[in-house]
Amino acid sequence: VMASTLALSAKCASAAEFVQLRVGGAGQSSWSYSCAVAISEAIKHVDPDMDLIVQATPGSTNHYGLFETGDLDAGTGYTPTDYWANEGKPPLFDKPLAGVYYTIAPITISKTHVVVRADSKVKTLTDLNGKKVYLGDPGAASTQMAIALIELLGIKCNPIQTARTEGFEMLKDGRVDVLIQSQGTPYASIIELATATDIRFIPFSDGELKKCIESGPYCFAGEILPSEYSFVKEPVKTLTQVQNINVRATLEDDVVYRLTKDIAECWDEVVKVVPAAGKVNPLKDATMTIAKLHPGAIKYYEENGVAIPAGLKP
């Protein structure tokens, strides 16, 4: 698709007009990318004239800057990086980007998986001290969450960042002791890992959860459940976050209204492809965001009876 065609992105005078949007999906091996592709394909069934061109990116942490330059129309987001972007938190962001982008819909509840082999001597997060810990793909939002986690809890480990597929192989063959990934559940890569290697999750203590949650309004207490993974016998306390779809703030209201409507109407089809998306309902859970909602999305939600708090309005 030529760049001139992509630049059409948002000239939509009516619901019948063809619209093409550039969507950042993060890395191709990520859950976010899979979900963005599933949304793109599902929307074709409810609105054939809404074309989402999903592009692989180094990670959703890059999407905020691409919104500012106008090189992306929409992209996957994540409440921790939304918060850090708003605040201009180094080293990811050198200035506040609040107002550069808005959120339009949640796409899953992300849970922090701290994974070890079943025979590991690691029993608590404190035991990560001195261990080799795989944190994720360089630049990925989940990786930044893992970095923030170990820094916040004062864990002195040997952090490893490399491609996700390699990181999982490293846990299998013992080249790392621990793997940390924050993703929607059930996470296919964890299920695949468990078929090849006996694994278990390390729980957070109540004190660790409290310390993490107090660090910012982007994490919540939650549990990894037996219904999500067959090898989990009882709930495992962990941190949760929200993954979402963001758009550039300058995207026209009528285009965003239509995109939000399309996402809500095709959601059941998305969940069939990426089950972790079933953790949320874009219409019912619209206010789970911490970033402000786009006016076009707000219009759709309010027309459908969703009360939007003043703090989420631009």
Side-chain angles (χ1 to χ4, degrees), residues 11-47:
K11 300 300 179 185
C12 172
S14 70
E17 188 170 345
F18 180 76
V19 175
Q20 194 169 67
L21 302 178
R22 302 157 295 179
V23 180
Q28 288 185 332
S29 64
S30 70
W31 183 89
S32 296
Y33 184 88
S34 299
C35 189
V37 170
I39 290 171
S40 174
E41 292 300 315
I43 280 179
K44 292 176 183 178
H45 297 112
V46 298
D47 187 353

Short mmCIF file of all heavy atoms in Angstrom, two decimals, residues 11-47:
data_model
loop_
_atom_site.label_atom_id
_atom_site.label_comp_id
_atom_site.label_asym_id
_atom_site.label_seq_id
_atom_site.Cartn_x
_atom_site.Cartn_y
_atom_site.Cartn_z
N LYS A 11 -10.20 10.83 6.36
CA LYS A 11 -11.06 11.78 5.68
C LYS A 11 -12.42 11.11 5.47
O LYS A 11 -12.74 10.58 4.41
CB LYS A 11 -10.45 12.20 4.34
CG LYS A 11 -9.10 12.88 4.50
CD LYS A 11 -9.19 14.12 5.34
CE LYS A 11 -7.87 14.81 5.52
NZ LYS A 11 -7.94 15.95 6.42
N CYS A 12 -13.19 11.10 6.52
CA CYS A 12 -14.44 10.35 6.50
C CYS A 12 -15.61 11.29 6.73
O CYS A 12 -15.78 11.78 7.84
CB CYS A 12 -14.41 9.28 7.59
SG CYS A 12 -15.96 8.43 7.82
N ALA A 13 -16.36 11.57 5.71
CA ALA A 13 -17.48 12.48 5.86
C ALA A 13 -18.75 11.74 6.25
O ALA A 13 -19.67 12.31 6.81
CB ALA A 13 -17.72 13.24 4.56
N SER A 14 -18.80 10.47 5.95
CA SER A 14 -19.99 9.68 6.29
C SER A 14 -19.58 8.26 6.57
O SER A 14 -18.50 7.83 6.23
CB SER A 14 -20.99 9.71 5.13
OG SER A 14 -20.48 8.96 4.05
N ALA A 15 -20.49 7.51 7.20
CA ALA A 15 -20.18 6.14 7.59
C ALA A 15 -19.95 5.24 6.38
O ALA A 15 -19.41 4.16 6.51
CB ALA A 15 -21.31 5.58 8.46
N ALA A 16 -20.38 5.69 5.18
CA ALA A 16 -20.24 4.86 3.99
C ALA A 16 -18.90 5.09 3.29
O ALA A 16 -18.55 4.36 2.37
CB ALA A 16 -21.38 5.15 3.02
N GLU A 17 -18.15 6.09 3.69
CA GLU A 17 -16.91 6.42 3.00
C GLU A 17 -15.78 5.49 3.41
O GLU A 17 -15.67 5.08 4.57
CB GLU A 17 -16.53 7.87 3.29
CG GLU A 17 -15.36 8.37 2.45
CD GLU A 17 -15.15 9.86 2.58
OE1 GLU A 17 -16.07 10.54 3.08
OE2 GLU A 17 -14.08 10.33 2.19
N PHE A 18 -14.92 5.16 2.46
CA PHE A 18 -13.78 4.29 2.74
C PHE A 18 -12.75 5.03 3.58
O PHE A 18 -12.38 6.16 3.30
CB PHE A 18 -13.14 3.85 1.42
CG PHE A 18 -11.95 2.96 1.61
CD1 PHE A 18 -12.10 1.61 1.95
CD2 PHE A 18 -10.66 3.46 1.47
CE1 PHE A 18 -11.00 0.79 2.12
CE2 PHE A 18 -9.54 2.65 1.64
CZ PHE A 18 -9.71 1.31 1.96
N VAL A 19 -12.28 4.35 4.63
CA VAL A 19 -11.29 4.92 5.53
C VAL A 19 -10.19 3.89 5.74
O VAL A 19 -10.46 2.71 5.96
CB VAL A 19 -11.90 5.30 6.90
CG1 VAL A 19 -10.81 5.77 7.87
CG2 VAL A 19 -12.95 6.37 6.75
N GLN A 20 -8.96 4.34 5.68
CA GLN A 20 -7.82 3.46 5.92
C GLN A 20 -6.97 4.07 7.03
O GLN A 20 -6.58 5.23 6.96
CB GLN A 20 -7.00 3.31 4.64
CG GLN A 20 -6.00 2.16 4.66
CD GLN A 20 -5.42 1.93 3.27
OE1 GLN A 20 -4.70 2.77 2.76
NE2 GLN A 20 -5.75 0.80 2.66
N LEU A 21 -6.68 3.27 8.04
CA LEU A 21 -5.92 3.74 9.21
C LEU A 21 -4.66 2.92 9.39
O LEU A 21 -4.66 1.70 9.24
CB LEU A 21 -6.77 3.64 10.48
CG LEU A 21 -8.10 4.41 10.50
CD1 LEU A 21 -8.83 4.16 11.80
CD2 LEU A 21 -7.86 5.90 10.31
N ARG A 22 -3.58 3.59 9.75
CA ARG A 22 -2.31 2.94 10.06
C ARG A 22 -2.31 2.58 11.54
O ARG A 22 -2.43 3.47 12.39
CB ARG A 22 -1.15 3.87 9.72
CG ARG A 22 -1.12 4.31 8.26
CD ARG A 22 -0.35 5.60 8.09
NE ARG A 22 -1.03 6.71 8.76
CZ ARG A 22 -0.55 7.95 8.78
NH1 ARG A 22 0.58 8.25 8.18
NH2 ARG A 22 -1.21 8.90 9.43
N VAL A 23 -2.14 1.32 11.86
CA VAL A 23 -2.26 0.84 13.24
C VAL A 23 -0.96 0.17 13.68
O VAL A 23 -0.51 -0.79 13.05
CB VAL A 23 -3.43 -0.17 13.37
CG1 VAL A 23 -3.55 -0.66 14.82
CG2 VAL A 23 -4.73 0.45 12.89
N GLY A 24 -0.37 0.65 14.75
CA GLY A 24 0.82 0.02 15.31
C GLY A 24 0.44 -1.15 16.19
O GLY A 24 -0.37 -1.00 17.11
N GLY A 25 1.02 -2.31 15.91
CA GLY A 25 0.63 -3.50 16.65
C GLY A 25 1.68 -4.04 17.59
O GLY A 25 1.49 -5.09 18.19
N ALA A 26 2.83 -3.33 17.73
CA ALA A 26 3.99 -3.85 18.47
C ALA A 26 4.62 -4.99 17.68
O ALA A 26 4.33 -5.18 16.50
CB ALA A 26 3.61 -4.25 19.89
N GLY A 27 5.49 -5.79 18.33
CA GLY A 27 6.21 -6.84 17.61
C GLY A 27 5.30 -7.96 17.15
O GLY A 27 4.29 -8.26 17.80
N GLN A 28 5.65 -8.60 16.04
CA GLN A 28 4.79 -9.64 15.47
C GLN A 28 4.61 -10.85 16.38
O GLN A 28 3.64 -11.59 16.22
CB GLN A 28 5.34 -10.07 14.11
CG GLN A 28 5.16 -9.03 13.03
CD GLN A 28 5.60 -9.51 11.67
OE1 GLN A 28 6.48 -10.36 11.56
NE2 GLN A 28 5.02 -8.97 10.62
N SER A 29 5.53 -11.06 17.31
CA SER A 29 5.40 -12.20 18.23
C SER A 29 4.59 -11.85 19.48
O SER A 29 4.36 -12.69 20.33
CB SER A 29 6.78 -12.71 18.65
OG SER A 29 7.48 -11.73 19.40
N SER A 30 4.14 -10.60 19.58
CA SER A 30 3.45 -10.15 20.79
C SER A 30 1.96 -10.43 20.72
O SER A 30 1.36 -10.53 19.63
CB SER A 30 3.67 -8.65 21.01
OG SER A 30 2.99 -7.89 20.02
N TRP A 31 1.34 -10.52 21.89
CA TRP A 31 -0.11 -10.67 21.96
C TRP A 31 -0.79 -9.44 21.38
O TRP A 31 -1.81 -9.54 20.69
CB TRP A 31 -0.56 -10.89 23.41
CG TRP A 31 -2.04 -11.12 23.51
CD1 TRP A 31 -2.69 -12.33 23.44
CD2 TRP A 31 -3.07 -10.13 23.64
NE1 TRP A 31 -4.05 -12.13 23.53
CE2 TRP A 31 -4.31 -10.81 23.66
CE3 TRP A 31 -3.05 -8.74 23.75
CZ2 TRP A 31 -5.52 -10.13 23.77
CZ3 TRP A 31 -4.27 -8.07 23.86
CH2 TRP A 31 -5.49 -8.76 23.88
N SER A 32 -0.22 -8.26 21.63
CA SER A 32 -0.82 -7.02 21.14
C SER A 32 -0.96 -7.03 19.63
O SER A 32 -2.00 -6.61 19.08
CB SER A 32 0.03 -5.82 21.57
OG SER A 32 0.07 -5.69 22.96
N TYR A 33 0.07 -7.50 18.95
CA TYR A 33 0.02 -7.56 17.50
C TYR A 33 -1.07 -8.52 17.04
O TYR A 33 -1.86 -8.21 16.14
CB TYR A 33 1.38 -7.99 16.94
CG TYR A 33 1.45 -7.98 15.43
CD1 TYR A 33 1.83 -6.83 14.75
CD2 TYR A 33 1.14 -9.12 14.70
CE1 TYR A 33 1.88 -6.82 13.35
CE2 TYR A 33 1.19 -9.11 13.31
CZ TYR A 33 1.56 -7.96 12.64
OH TYR A 33 1.62 -7.95 11.28
N SER A 34 -1.14 -9.69 17.67
CA SER A 34 -2.17 -10.67 17.32
C SER A 34 -3.56 -10.09 17.51
O SER A 34 -4.45 -10.31 16.68
CB SER A 34 -2.01 -11.93 18.17
OG SER A 34 -0.76 -12.54 17.95
N CYS A 35 -3.74 -9.35 18.59
CA CYS A 35 -5.05 -8.77 18.86
C CYS A 35 -5.38 -7.68 17.85
O CYS A 35 -6.52 -7.59 17.36
CB CYS A 35 -5.10 -8.20 20.28
SG CYS A 35 -6.76 -7.68 20.79
N ALA A 36 -4.40 -6.85 17.51
CA ALA A 36 -4.64 -5.79 16.52
C ALA A 36 -5.03 -6.39 15.17
O ALA A 36 -5.93 -5.89 14.49
CB ALA A 36 -3.39 -4.92 16.38
N VAL A 37 -4.37 -7.48 14.77
CA VAL A 37 -4.71 -8.15 13.52
C VAL A 37 -6.12 -8.74 13.60
O VAL A 37 -6.90 -8.65 12.64
CB VAL A 37 -3.67 -9.25 13.18
CG1 VAL A 37 -4.15 -10.10 12.01
CG2 VAL A 37 -2.32 -8.62 12.87
N ALA A 38 -6.45 -9.35 14.75
CA ALA A 38 -7.79 -9.92 14.92
C ALA A 38 -8.86 -8.84 14.83
O ALA A 38 -9.93 -9.05 14.23
CB ALA A 38 -7.88 -10.64 16.26
N ILE A 39 -8.60 -7.68 15.41
CA ILE A 39 -9.54 -6.57 15.32
C ILE A 39 -9.70 -6.12 13.88
O ILE A 39 -10.81 -5.89 13.38
CB ILE A 39 -9.09 -5.40 16.21
CG1 ILE A 39 -9.22 -5.78 17.70
CG2 ILE A 39 -9.90 -4.13 15.92
CD1 ILE A 39 -8.59 -4.78 18.65
N SER A 40 -8.58 -5.99 13.18
CA SER A 40 -8.60 -5.56 11.78
C SER A 40 -9.46 -6.50 10.93
O SER A 40 -10.29 -6.06 10.12
CB SER A 40 -7.18 -5.51 11.23
OG SER A 40 -7.17 -5.23 9.85
N GLU A 41 -9.27 -7.81 11.12
CA GLU A 41 -10.01 -8.78 10.33
C GLU A 41 -11.49 -8.81 10.71
O GLU A 41 -12.36 -8.93 9.85
CB GLU A 41 -9.39 -10.18 10.50
CG GLU A 41 -8.00 -10.32 9.90
CD GLU A 41 -7.98 -10.06 8.41
OE1 GLU A 41 -8.88 -10.58 7.70
OE2 GLU A 41 -7.09 -9.33 7.94
N ALA A 42 -11.77 -8.70 12.01
CA ALA A 42 -13.17 -8.76 12.46
C ALA A 42 -13.96 -7.54 11.99
O ALA A 42 -15.14 -7.65 11.65
CB ALA A 42 -13.22 -8.88 13.99
N ILE A 43 -13.32 -6.39 11.98
CA ILE A 43 -14.01 -5.17 11.56
C ILE A 43 -14.49 -5.26 10.12
O ILE A 43 -15.52 -4.70 9.75
CB ILE A 43 -13.10 -3.93 11.78
CG1 ILE A 43 -13.14 -3.53 13.26
CG2 ILE A 43 -13.52 -2.76 10.91
CD1 ILE A 43 -12.27 -2.35 13.61
N LYS A 44 -13.76 -6.00 9.28
CA LYS A 44 -14.15 -6.13 7.88
C LYS A 44 -15.54 -6.73 7.74
O LYS A 44 -16.24 -6.49 6.74
CB LYS A 44 -13.13 -7.00 7.14
CG LYS A 44 -11.77 -6.34 6.99
CD LYS A 44 -10.77 -7.28 6.32
CE LYS A 44 -9.39 -6.62 6.23
NZ LYS A 44 -8.38 -7.54 5.63
N HIS A 45 -15.99 -7.51 8.73
CA HIS A 45 -17.30 -8.13 8.66
C HIS A 45 -18.43 -7.19 9.07
O HIS A 45 -19.58 -7.39 8.67
CB HIS A 45 -17.34 -9.38 9.55
CG HIS A 45 -16.38 -10.45 9.10
ND1 HIS A 45 -15.28 -10.82 9.83
CD2 HIS A 45 -16.35 -11.22 7.98
CE1 HIS A 45 -14.62 -11.77 9.19
NE2 HIS A 45 -15.25 -12.03 8.07
N VAL A 46 -18.11 -6.18 9.85
CA VAL A 46 -19.15 -5.23 10.28
C VAL A 46 -19.07 -3.92 9.54
O VAL A 46 -20.04 -3.15 9.50
CB VAL A 46 -19.10 -4.99 11.81
CG1 VAL A 46 -19.35 -6.28 12.57
CG2 VAL A 46 -17.79 -4.35 12.24
N ASP A 47 -17.91 -3.62 8.95
CA ASP A 47 -17.70 -2.34 8.26
C ASP A 47 -16.63 -2.54 7.19
O ASP A 47 -15.46 -2.22 7.39
CB ASP A 47 -17.27 -1.27 9.26
CG ASP A 47 -17.21 0.14 8.65
OD1 ASP A 47 -17.37 0.26 7.42
OD2 ASP A 47 -17.00 1.09 9.41
#
